Each structure stands twice: as C-alpha cells, then as structure tokens.
Amino acid sequence: MTPRFLRLAALLLALAWGFAPHPALSAKDELVIGMTQYPATLHPNIESMLAKTLVVSATRRPFTAYDANWQLGCMLCTNLPTIENGLAKLEDMPSGKKGIAVTYTIQPGATWGDGTPVSTRDVMFTWEVGRHPQSGVAAAEFYRRAYKLDVKDARTFTLHFDKVTYEYSAINDFQVLPAHIEAVHFAEPMEYRNRTRFDADPTNPGLYFGPYRIVEAKPGSHIALEPNPTWYGEKPKFKRIVFRAVENTAALEANLLSGAIDYIAGELGLTLDQGIAFEKRHADKFQVIFKPGLIYEHIDLNLDNPVLKNLRLRRALLMALDRQAISEKLFGGKQPVAITSVSPLDWVYDADLRPVPFDPKAAGQIFDEEGWRIGPGGIRQNAAGEKLSLEFMTTAGNRSRETVQQVLQAQWRQVGVDIRIRNEPARVFFGETVTKRRFSAMAMFAWVSSPENLPRSTLHSQEIPTAQNNYAGQNYTGYRNDQMDELIEAIEVELDRDKRGLLWRRLQALYLADLPVLPLYFRADVFVMPKWLKGVTPTGHQNVSTLWIEYWHAE
Amino acid sequence: MTRYIVDRIVQSLAVLLVMSFVIYGLIGLMPGDPVDLMISADPKVTAEDAARLKALYGLDRPLLTRYGNWLKAALGGEFGYSRLYAKPALVALGPALVSTTILVGISFVLSLLIALPAGVWVATRPDGPADRTVNLACFAGVSMPPFWLAILLILTFAVGLRWLPAGGVPTRSDVGLGEQLRHMVLPVATLTLLQIGGYLRFMRAAMIETLRQDYIRTAQAKGAGPARVLLKHALRNALNPVVTVVALGFGGLFSGALITETMFAWPGMGKLILDSIMGNDFNLALVALLFATLLVLVGNLLADLAYAWLDPRVSFTEREGGP
C-alpha cells in the first residue's frame, strides 16, 4: 500500500467516524435548556444579568435566597441568622448609630471543584473585591453597608451592617469568590474585571462549588455543565446540562420542536402570547407552565407633565382602561391585573384593596369637571383650545407590549384622549429616554423584583434621576410625597413582621391613591418543558429555578 | 502595478483612520452609555456607583479625549478590552471571525459555483422555459426575507423531516467532523439560496450583453464552436461587472449575515457587531466594524486587480507613469 493510499484511507475513516452516530449520552442523561440570551460575563458579582444568573445558579449557591414559596432561607449557610436565634445582634456603631452584626456559618461540605474547601478566606476576599472602588462590581451599596467583616474560624464569619433593616439576614447577592484562584488576578484591582478567571478560564473547576460545573463555554452559542464531584448536596440527576442561546424566539420554538433543545427556560424564553399559542398546538407533547411573578408591567407617568400632575386626571386615565379584558383577551387571563406594584403572591400584599374600576363614563365625567371637554373630532380640549393629547412610549419590536399599547390607545380614544405612540428600540428607550426622564408623558415597561422588595428606588423622592446624581435612581415619574418617603424609611427599619405588614398596607393604599404609575398586570413566565422532565419549580422572582437544579430529573 | 497596490494600501489606511473616528463618534453619540444601561437594569446601582463606574470605564472624559487615547493605544497594537466579553477586543473577535469565515466562505463559494455557470447557461437560452423558470427562482430568492427562509428550512428539515439539526453549532466539542457539517447545512443553505439569485441575474445580464457584441459574431463567423465562443470570448468579458458585484458583496457578507446567524444561533461577526453596539462596547464594536471596513477595501482592491487579469485593456501603467 502506498503512503497516498494510506492517507486516503485515513481520511475516509475520519469522515466515516464523523458521520457515524456518535456514542453520545442518552437523551435522558442530557438536558439542553434553551434561552434567548448568552451571558456577557460569568463572574457572579460583576453586573446583573438574567442569562448569567440562570447558568451561574447551577454552579454555585448564594448564602441566602428566596425559595419557590417566597421564603428566605439558607443555601450556602447553615442557619439563617435571626435576632431570636442569636445569630443577629443589634450593636452600637462607632458613630453612635445602631447597626447589626450578623453571623453566618458556611455549609460543612462546601468545596470548590478542585478540592479546596470554601472558607472564610474566600468570604474575606469577596468582601474586599466588592468594597474596592475599581473592582468593577456594579452595585456596591451592599458592601458599603457591610462596613466590617470579622472572621471567627474557617467557616464562620460576622458581617457588621451600618443600618438595621428588615432584610438584615438576606445576603442573596453576596456570592463568594474562590480566593485561591482569583486573588492573584486582583493584584491590580482596575484590571480585575478583565482578568477574572470566570471569563478568561471559565472551565476551571476551582471556580464552582455547586451541583454542576462548567466544562465548555462557546461564546454566543452554548455553555455545557457536568456534575461537580465535590458538590455537598443532593446528587444531580443529569449527566450533562447545556444552556443554549437562541435569541430569536421563533427559532427557539423550532429548536424545541426539532429536539435540538429539550426545555425553554421560563425566565428567559418565550413571551406569554407565544406560550399560549404553543400550548394550543403542542399540549400533547409538552407541559407549559405559566408562572405569574414579580414582573410588574406598568406605565410610568411623567408627573412634570401639566396634565399628568393632576391626580384626578391620572385616575380618570386609569378608569378608562379595561385591564381585565386585556388580560383575558390577549393573555388568556394568565396575567393578573395589578392593583399596585405589590404582587398578590407576596405576603405583604393587601388583599382588601380594590383596583381602580373600569368606568369610562365616570372617567369622562372627571375629564369634563377638570375642564377637558369633547371637541371636534371627538378629542377633548381645554378652554384654551389645547387638545388632550399625550405621548405614549414603549420598547419598539416587543410585539406583546406594542399590541397592548394599541388596545390602550383605542380605549383612551373612546373617552376622548388622543394618544401619540412613539416607540424606541430598547437600547435607546432604557439607555436614555426613561433613565434620563426624557419621555414627555407615558412610558410602558416592566420591573423585576424580589419578594417584599421595598420600592425605594422607584418611589422615594431622593431617587429621582438627575444630571447631578448621574441619573441613578429609578423614580422616573418624578414622584415626591413626604408620606411615601416616611413609609419607605419606616418599613426598611421595622423588624417586627406584623408592624411591617401594616406599614406595607399603608404604602399600597397611598400608591393607589396617588397613582404615580398606572398599574397594568403582573407578567407570567412561560416554562415549556417535555413531559418527562420533573422537579423544575418556577419561583416567579429573581432567585431562579436553576438554584434547585439538582432536583431536576427525567421520568 | 506595485506602485498602484502601494497607493491603494495607503488610501485604505487613510479610510480606516477616518472610519475609526466616524465609528467612535457615532457610537459615542448613541443615547446612553454602558453605565446608564447598568442603572436601568439594576436598581441597586446608586449615584455613587454610577460616578465610580463612569470613572472606571473612562466615560467621564470627553469623547474626543477618549478617541485620542484609543487611537494612541491602537497604533501601538493595543485595541483595548471588550467590556461585554471581558477579553481583549481582538481575542473576543477571533472566534466570531472564524465562525463567520467558515459560514460565509462556504456559502459564498457555493453560491458562485451555482450562480455563475447557471447564469451563463440561461443567458444562452434567453426567454426560453429554462430562463423563465430560473428567473422566477432568482426573484424568489432575492425577495425572500432571510428570517423567513431560515424558519422555513428549520421547520422543513429539522422539525418536519428531522434530517438535520436546527442549531448552528453542536453542543458537544467531541463530535466528529460529520456532525459539525450537519449542523452547518441549514445556515449555509440559507445564505447560499439568498445569494444565488443576485449573482445569477448579474451573470445572466452581463453574458447576454456580451453575446450581442460584434466580436462575438466575428468569432462565430470565423468558425469558432459555441463552447469556444462562450468560454473563450464571451465569459471573460462578461465577468468584469460580475467581479465588481461579487467583490463588494464579499466584504459586506462578513457583517451582513446577522439574521442568518441569529436564527441559527451561529456565533458570528454580524451578531458580535450588533451585540457590541447595543451593549455600548466601544472597543469591540470599533475593532469589528473596522475589520468589516477593511474587508470591503480588500474586496475592492482584489476586484480592481481582477479587472486587469480579465481585461488586458485595463492597465495600471498610466497611473504609474502619469500622462
């Protein structure tokens, strides 16, 4: 045989091996999860991003998290600190103010994937990274409040906070970093965000201590995970988990139908209308779970607008909307109408509150009384002949929102209010228009929050974005009410649950009375999964379902 | 010839310099900056955080100063870090470039291999049944929206027949070449089908025009066979306008396969450019767009050189010596 023949034979063999069925894992050993975004970074503490949270939550655990029943509990810690169990203690700070010292103990078996135990050395390192102004950690407020860290032993530490809040034991965003790997790259803090191994070497097993660890990351395409042998908890059932990013939801659906992916993550998958249509067509093969949660769809009103600063007119605008009909007709009744920003699933929700009723006749009467009477063409105008015309903005290209927007426009038109739609791409809408309060009247979008989430950033008067505060804060409406400010301050420091509940009721009543925002509904996430997949429990809040991925299994 | 190429390279560098300024300026003028986006996504980012982050990312400095710093570093071979990928911009660009080169390269070659012979073939049968059928198919290909064609192919071959995978990249790195090729079939087919129509119509039109020329009749009168007339006399001349279109299109393909890449989750240049612009990743967007510009310039240069090869009347000597 000549060398040429041998080379040809080798080539043919290689090709045949390539085309032959590969000795892959059986379908039930591998779970391919589809989502619409690829994480920009895998570092748990730099930037907040849902795609990252979904992946990272399978590979590590926060100290504390809210579970599917919206109860705060320990994950990486052994006991949730409370004042009652003595792990949280009120203390006097050097400034004379009251602070709180909260003690946590790391789970005994917690070990990084390379065999190094998770220890207080890691906790100290994480705290130092978070506190360093050049580390690139975006939201550093937690680290400013946690002004001191005492290490008791290799597994126990105490955080000292400069303010006593009802969330004193919740350190959900304090994600421990592996000091034995990351410390050397933090030598130059300014370069840390560029040198962190989470992005430079994401398959390093020492970065993970959760049920799975990342074994492959193909930027823009997929991230593959396999069980972490050092995981101390329930043994994960799948031998391989793949997070696959398919940005286009139509293609995502087609991938599911073709078997290229098994499950579409509800947190970052199909829109509700797509989910409803999918369920109608494929309910025989897939289970579709609609989980309403803490995604609050609403219309922010610019309260500097001469029309919208009038409370009666704001109320009339809401009375002209049949939100129940929108929820039923467009979303199959799967998105509950919002009365305020507090979800009906949250324990602080006031069930006695009644929504502003749909009453176009009464709305018209209010407009008349406020001097806006029906004029030529059926549009209301005031004594000066000015038309009652408002600009209404939302994210261009979001089909679901744009449909709702058109229905709202038609309903307001019925009571003589002219609505001018001006939508913008999300990049511009959120990057400039909303954040810098450059919408003239109404902006429709959603907030995602956690259980018992205090609306400080959206309702406190100190949180109105201005050039002076670098446009930080999310009180985009420009709402100012001393009573609301006082309630927010009071709730934040009230440790007694019952008393706090009462304050929350007052806050909701004030919200409903003032209507700085027009509430629409609480959005539902759509989880589309094969019937054999069990154990997935949607939470409806920011602590995503993959935090319990070790319980997922095929049946 | 050499002088001409050197001139063109110098011109290209000047264009790249101007483009870098234009791109940097345009991205800088876009509403909002990375920190504004962070604030809108995370309620826990305070005013203090915003000021700190703007200083950290250099966003508190004027645009011109930032551009000056970038240019100085770029001339020293340092193109900065990608904020989105937390890697040097060139490193982040590399895998996307390889992915797109594979996808675009194969579809480009395939579309030319199909379009050019088919264009010549139907040009010899103008207005016949074959010509009409091919024309119809071309118009369908040209006018079909890429996302629709992609979904159609996915639904037919991945969902319906289950012959091919719907996604662009295998989710296991240890699969064989065959499996990798199977994943490429649909995205390559989509891009190829979209390109064939345009190239085929150009080739057909150019060939029909050439076949009407006097020298073709002369060649036929001199007794040259149909194949010789077609391939020796007509094709070379007809290729001139086609080369221009192909060369211009080649550069654009690298950044223009965005929809196909998105539909098939193919991590290529188009998606990278879009993500970097939308995510306000200055360094990565600049490098990626400059690279796309460079490819267009190279495409043009190659087209000019191809003219000389295809048509001996085209010469660069006049430029070299001057009038």
Side-chain angles (χ1 to χ4, degrees):
Chain A
M1 288 194 290
T2 64
R4 182 183 286 183
F5 176 79
L6 281 173
R7 278 202 297 271
L8 184 66
L11 181 68
L12 286 172
L13 268 173
L15 275 174
W17 177 80
F19 277 101
H22 200 70
L25 298 168
S26 94
K28 299 290 170 65
D29 285 340
E30 182 179 68
L31 180 72
V32 183
I33 305 170
M35 57 187 192
T36 53
Q37 204 174 30
Y38 186 90
T41 171
L42 291 168
H43 192 290
N45 294 343
I46 294 179
E47 286 197 43
S48 166
M49 190 184 195
L50 194 49
K52 178 187 82 176
T53 309
L54 263 179
V55 177
V56 160
S57 295
T59 64
R60 53 173 35 254
R61 292 293 136 91
F63 278 99
T64 59
Y66 288 97
D67 64 17
N69 299 315
W70 298 28
Q71 297 298 315
L72 187 67
C74 260
M75 294 204 96
L76 180 58
C77 56
T78 52
N79 289 307
L80 190 68
T82 62
I83 290 171
E84 292 74 27
N85 68 16
L87 291 174
K89 288 178 183 157
L90 298 178
E91 62 182 6
D92 292 320
M93 295 195 302
S95 63
K97 287 184 182 170
K98 275 280 175 212
I100 190 163
V102 193
T103 301
Y104 300 86
T105 301
I106 299 168
Q107 287 276 359
T111 308
W112 299 102
D114 58 3
T116 309
V118 178
S119 71
T120 44
R121 184 191 167 212
D122 302 314
V123 174
M124 180 61 88
F125 172 69
T126 307
W127 183 72
E128 282 169 0
V129 169
R131 282 180 71 82
H132 200 288
Q134 291 181 324
S135 65
V137 171
E141 181 64 12
F142 169 82
Y143 298 97
R144 280 191 291 272
R145 282 193 169 184
Y147 68 94
K148 193 172 148 198
L149 174 67
D150 289 332
V151 170
K152 191 178 165 193
D153 56 39
R155 291 198 298 115
T156 306
F157 64 97
T158 302
L159 278 168
H160 297 266
F161 294 96
D162 65 359
K163 196 172 182 181
V164 185
T165 72
Y166 68 92
E167 292 182 304
Y168 62 82
S169 59
I171 52 170
N172 304 7
D173 295 333
F174 187 54
Q175 298 263 4
V176 70
L177 303 173
H180 66 292
I181 291 177
E182 290 287 274
V184 64
H185 303 289
F186 189 62
E188 287 179 70
M190 199 165 172
E191 293 300 320
Y192 176 61
R193 67 184 194 280
N194 296 324
R195 292 180 181 168
T196 169
R197 296 296 96 183
F198 283 98
D199 293 317
D201 183 19
T203 57
N204 187 329
L207 297 170
Y208 312 105
F209 64 87
Y212 289 93
R213 62 185 179 89
I214 293 174
V215 294
E216 187 184 339
K218 174 106 180 159
S221 171
H222 65 271
I223 295 172
L225 287 72
E226 284 178 5
N228 176 13
T230 66
W231 167 241
Y232 56 92
E234 174 93 10
K235 193 180 174 197
K237 314 298 180 293
F238 288 104
K239 289 183 181 162
R240 188 178 166 91
I241 300 264
V242 178
F243 288 91
R244 185 175 192 126
V246 183
E247 286 188 17
N248 184 283
T249 49
L252 186 66
E253 197 179 313
N255 270 267
L256 181 73
L257 292 172
S258 73
I261 59 177
D262 300 308
Y263 157 54
I264 297 180
E267 292 93 342
L268 208 56
L270 301 184
T271 59
L272 186 63
D273 52 336
Q274 286 173 320
I276 291 170
F278 186 91
E279 189 184 33
K280 281 180 186 161
R281 292 195 305 267
H282 305 291
D284 54 328
K285 289 182 194 146
F286 295 91
Q287 52 175 328
V288 184
I289 298 173
F290 298 92
K291 176 70 181 176
L294 281 168
I295 308 172
Y296 172 48
E297 279 284 350
H298 65 278
I299 302 171
D300 261 17
L301 304 174
N302 187 335
L303 300 181
D304 295 335
N305 181 298
V307 173
L308 298 174
K309 67 167 57 164
N310 182 327
L311 170 59
R312 295 196 75 215
L313 290 179
R314 297 204 293 272
R315 194 171 172 81
L317 282 169
L318 190 56
M319 289 169 79
L321 300 182
D322 190 353
R323 293 172 291 163
Q324 191 60 42
I326 293 173
S327 175
E328 278 165 17
K329 296 275 164 52
L330 295 183
F331 305 118
K334 292 184 164 65
Q335 301 200 131
V337 170
I339 299 176
T340 69
S341 59
V342 177
S343 163
L345 299 172
D346 206 330
W347 78 268
V348 297
Y349 174 73
D350 182 357
D352 295 332
L353 277 186
R354 291 286 159 263
V356 173
F358 169 56
D359 191 345
K361 200 173 165 187
Q365 212 171 339
I366 295 173
F367 284 125
D368 287 340
E369 288 165 11
E370 292 298 317
W372 294 96
R373 299 184 179 283
I374 295 288
I379 300 298
R380 292 179 182 276
Q381 55 183 39
N382 61 12
E386 293 165 336
K387 280 188 175 177
L388 182 49
S389 181
L390 298 168
E391 191 173 72
F392 188 8
M393 304 182 74
T394 192
T395 42
N398 183 320
R399 200 173 57 184
S400 181
R401 276 208 189 113
E402 285 176 333
T403 308
V404 171
Q405 188 185 36
Q406 284 165 17
V407 176
L408 297 179
Q409 183 188 38
Q411 291 185 348
W412 275 322
R413 182 69 179 77
Q414 294 289 315
V415 294
V417 181
D418 175 48
I419 295 294
R420 290 170 283 119
I421 288 175
R422 187 167 74 85
N423 294 342
E424 290 177 341
R427 168 72 182 71
V428 181
F429 185 69
F430 292 119
E432 183 94 358
T433 305
V434 172
T435 41
K436 296 186 178 167
R437 302 190 65 226
R438 289 187 181 151
F439 58 104
S440 68
M442 301 195 281
M444 178 166 62
F445 57 97
W447 284 127
V448 187
S449 61
S450 51
E452 203 186 345
N453 186 54
L454 194 64
R456 170 182 280 279
S457 70
T458 54
L459 294 176
H460 199 289
S461 61
Q462 286 174 353
E463 299 288 332
I464 299 171
T466 60
Q468 286 71 41
N469 68 7
N470 272 315
Y471 296 103
Q474 292 170 320
N475 184 346
Y476 302 139
T477 61
Y479 176 59
R480 286 183 182 81
N481 185 324
D482 292 344
Q483 215 184 333
M484 181 63 83
D485 291 353
E486 284 164 16
L487 273 169
I488 289 171
E489 306 282 359
I491 290 172
E492 191 169 32
V493 297
E494 181 55 72
L495 303 186
D496 185 294
R497 187 178 160 100
D498 293 339
K499 286 183 188 165
R500 204 162 71 244
L502 290 174
L503 290 170
W504 269 106
R505 288 170 80 96
R506 284 175 55 199
L507 184 143
Q508 291 166 76
L510 184 59
Y511 189 100
L512 191 60
D514 271 1
L515 285 179
V517 165
L518 300 185
L520 293 177
Y521 39 75
F522 287 98
R523 216 162 70 193
D525 286 339
V526 185
F527 294 77
V528 185
M529 54 188 90
K531 295 202 166 176
W532 51 261
L533 179 61
K534 306 290 176 193
V536 180
T537 313
T539 64
H541 54 71
Q542 279 179 322
N543 292 139
V544 295
S545 53
T546 47
L547 275 175
W548 294 272
I549 200 166
E550 64 269 34
Y551 299 104
W552 297 12
H553 61 279
E555 225 172 63
Chain B
M1 182 75 165
T2 312
R3 169 89 185 268
Y4 174 77
I5 293 173
V6 171
D7 279 355
R8 286 294 300 267
I9 290 171
V10 171
Q11 281 171 24
S12 299
L13 290 175
V15 170
L16 282 177
L17 183 68
V18 172
M19 281 302 291
S20 72
F21 178 73
V22 171
I23 295 166
Y24 204 99
L26 286 175
I27 298 174
L29 290 173
M30 274 171 66
D33 60 38
V35 177
D36 293 328
L37 291 175
M38 277 185 216
I39 293 170
S40 69
D42 188 350
K44 290 170 188 161
V45 176
T46 62
E48 197 179 328
D49 291 330
R52 175 177 55 84
L53 292 167
K54 288 205 179 197
L56 186 63
Y57 290 117
L59 297 167
D60 54 347
R61 277 169 271 167
L63 190 67
L64 269 179
T65 311
R66 275 148 55 194
Y67 173 71
N69 292 342
W70 176 86
L71 186 63
K72 201 173 152 191
L75 290 174
E78 174 59 61
F79 290 88
Y81 263 80
S82 158
R83 195 185 68 78
L84 284 181
Y85 289 82
K87 285 176 187 163
L90 280 179
V91 175
L93 184 75
L97 183 63
V98 171
S99 279
T100 291
T101 305
I102 293 169
L103 177 69
V104 166
I106 294 176
S107 63
F108 184 72
V109 170
L110 269 179
S111 58
L112 288 182
L113 283 177
I114 297 168
L116 299 189
V120 171
W121 184 66
V122 292
T124 58
R125 297 157 177 80
D127 298 325
D131 186 31
R132 282 165 203 250
T133 310
V134 169
N135 265 340
L136 191 69
C138 285
F139 283 125
V142 169
S143 53
M144 198 176 291
F147 74 89
W148 190 77
L149 178 62
I151 275 289
L152 199 72
L153 291 177
I154 292 173
L155 288 176
T156 307
F157 294 101
V159 178
L161 300 169
R162 296 212 167 218
W163 289 351
L164 295 163
V169 180
T171 52
R172 294 187 69 90
S173 55
D174 56 350
V175 294
L177 176 66
E179 188 57 25
Q180 292 186 32
L181 291 176
R182 280 185 72 233
H183 277 79
M184 286 174 58
V185 172
L186 290 184
V188 165
T190 305
L191 269 184
T192 306
L193 288 172
L194 289 168
Q195 291 175 80
I196 284 177
Y199 292 149
L200 196 151
R201 293 279 305 162
F202 271 110
M203 189 68 242
R204 175 188 174 274
M207 200 67 188
I208 287 176
E209 181 60 30
T210 308
L211 289 172
R212 287 186 190 134
Q213 299 299 315
D214 290 341
Y215 65 84
I216 297 294
R217 275 199 295 275
T218 307
Q220 286 166 338
K222 283 165 73 179
R228 184 177 170 78
V229 168
L230 202 64
L231 299 177
K232 170 96 178 157
H233 298 274
L235 181 60
R236 199 160 173 174
N237 288 300
L239 274 175
N240 259 335
V242 177
V243 162
T244 309
V245 174
V246 169
L248 285 175
F250 181 72
L253 271 176
F254 273 84
S255 51
L258 169 68
I259 296 171
T260 308
E261 287 173 2
T262 305
M263 295 304 289
F264 292 101
W266 187 273
M269 285 281 286
K271 220 162 141 299
L272 182 107
I273 289 173
L274 181 79
D275 289 347
S276 58
I277 290 174
M278 299 313 276
N280 239 330
D281 189 341
F282 281 65
N283 292 338
L284 185 57
L286 251 172
V287 171
L289 285 169
L290 284 178
F291 193 81
T293 309
L294 182 69
L295 284 174
V296 173
L297 293 172
V298 169
N300 274 323
L301 179 61
L302 292 177
D304 285 352
L305 297 177
Y307 290 153
W309 177 71
L310 289 166
D311 187 351
R313 290 172 301 175
V314 176
S315 161
F316 301 109
T317 48
E318 192 173 306
R319 272 175 167 272
E320 283 175 4

